[in-house]
Amino acid sequence: MMTQRQRPFFLAIATIAIIWIVAVAAYTVARNAKITPEKVRAYVSSVDFTRLSAAERARAIQKLADLLNALSLEDRRALQMDRTAYGWFEKMSEQEKGEFLEATLPTGFKQTLAAFEQLPEDRRRHTVEQALKQMKEAREKMAATGQAPPAGTNSLALSEELRQKVTTIGLKSFYSQSSAQTKAEMAPLLEEMQRMMENGRLIMRVGGQRP
């Protein structure tokens, strides 16, 4: 039989055991609940998007957007590289594409800005210089050939209206989420972007080419 002196000791052991059980259970739940690229790929593969009704498509698109928004920036990039999670995009209507972009791009832009601001100053400067160089080369090629450079293999096919939507969402996210220092450091990129947009409009007017 438990004595008066033994009781506090056994209560302490029981309390520690309960804490460990709760901690392990919480860890297991958190691990299972964590969104991973594999879970996103599995969800996309499990749904035959073309066979869904309009209401079902809307719910599926929103669920996919929620899954993507729960990922880290690195995981989102991994999915963009293999395009698995974006297999539905080409099957979406223009309206669905716009809603999907509105649901996913702000989080992606916010994560990208946060990652940029965490870089050392010399890395940020180098990143801006490289991006500026690439944008200038692209603009010069557009002016010389009357056509935009081909999109990368991982780029989504977007109509002119959706491109403008992406630009609007990106600029809105930039001005609302970035610090004053980031705005100053990226000012040359915004100026070059404006030149590219103006150059694109000129090409459309003169040559009939879409940028």
Side-chain angles (χ1 to χ4, degrees):
M1 185 174 179
M2 188 184 304
T3 65
Q4 192 70 21
R5 290 183 178 180
Q6 291 174 324
R7 186 174 299 164
F9 173 76
F10 284 107
L11 286 175
I13 293 297
T15 301
I16 292 173
I18 292 172
I19 291 174
W20 272 106
I21 291 172
V22 171
V24 170
Y27 171 78
T28 303
V29 171
R31 183 182 60 185
N32 292 336
K34 186 179 185 301
I35 305 303
T36 63
E38 290 70 27
K39 288 186 178 181
V40 179
R41 293 187 184 101
Y43 173 66
V44 172
S45 300
S46 69
V47 177
D48 189 343
F49 188 74
T50 58
R51 292 181 177 274
L52 301 180
S53 65
E56 290 171 335
R57 285 164 70 104
R59 287 193 294 269
I61 290 171
Q62 185 57 56
K63 181 173 181 179
L64 176 58
D66 292 340
L67 292 173
L68 292 173
N69 288 336
L71 293 173
S72 67
L73 178 61
E74 291 73 18
D75 287 342
R76 286 173 70 115
R77 286 174 174 169
L79 288 176
Q80 289 173 347
M81 290 298 292
D82 67 21
R83 296 182 64 85
T84 301
Y86 296 87
W88 295 354
F89 194 81
E90 295 177 356
K91 304 171 186 176
M92 295 180 188
S93 65
E94 282 294 291
Q95 180 178 346
E96 289 172 336
K97 288 179 180 178
E99 292 171 351
F100 177 74
L101 293 174
E102 288 178 349
T104 57
L105 287 183
T107 299
F109 283 129
K110 182 178 179 180
Q111 290 175 326
T112 301
L113 286 169
F116 175 82
E117 292 179 348
Q118 290 172 5
L119 292 174
E121 183 178 354
D122 59 332
R123 288 283 304 281
R124 295 199 305 271
R125 182 172 59 253
H126 177 72
T127 298
V128 170
E129 290 173 351
Q130 287 296 107
L132 188 59
K133 178 182 178 182
Q134 293 174 2
M135 292 175 69
K136 286 182 176 179
E137 291 175 351
R139 176 169 56 84
E140 290 170 357
K141 185 170 183 178
M142 287 170 62
T145 65
Q147 297 181 5
T153 57
N154 297 311
S155 299
L156 297 175
L158 301 177
S159 65
E160 183 62 28
E161 182 179 353
L162 289 178
R163 290 186 190 183
Q164 292 177 4
K165 183 184 289 291
V166 170
T167 301
T168 300
I169 294 173
L171 291 175
K172 185 180 295 184
S173 299
F174 174 75
Y175 284 111
S176 64
Q177 300 291 339
S178 62
S179 64
Q181 181 175 349
T182 296
K183 290 184 176 72
E185 291 175 342
M186 289 193 171
L189 291 180
L190 296 178
E191 293 173 1
E192 184 60 32
M193 183 186 297
Q194 179 65 30
R195 294 190 188 98
M196 290 187 71
M197 293 172 67
E198 292 174 350
N199 193 60
R201 286 196 294 268
L202 179 62
I203 290 173
M204 290 177 68
R205 286 198 301 269
V206 176
Q209 300 281 357
R210 282 187 177 274

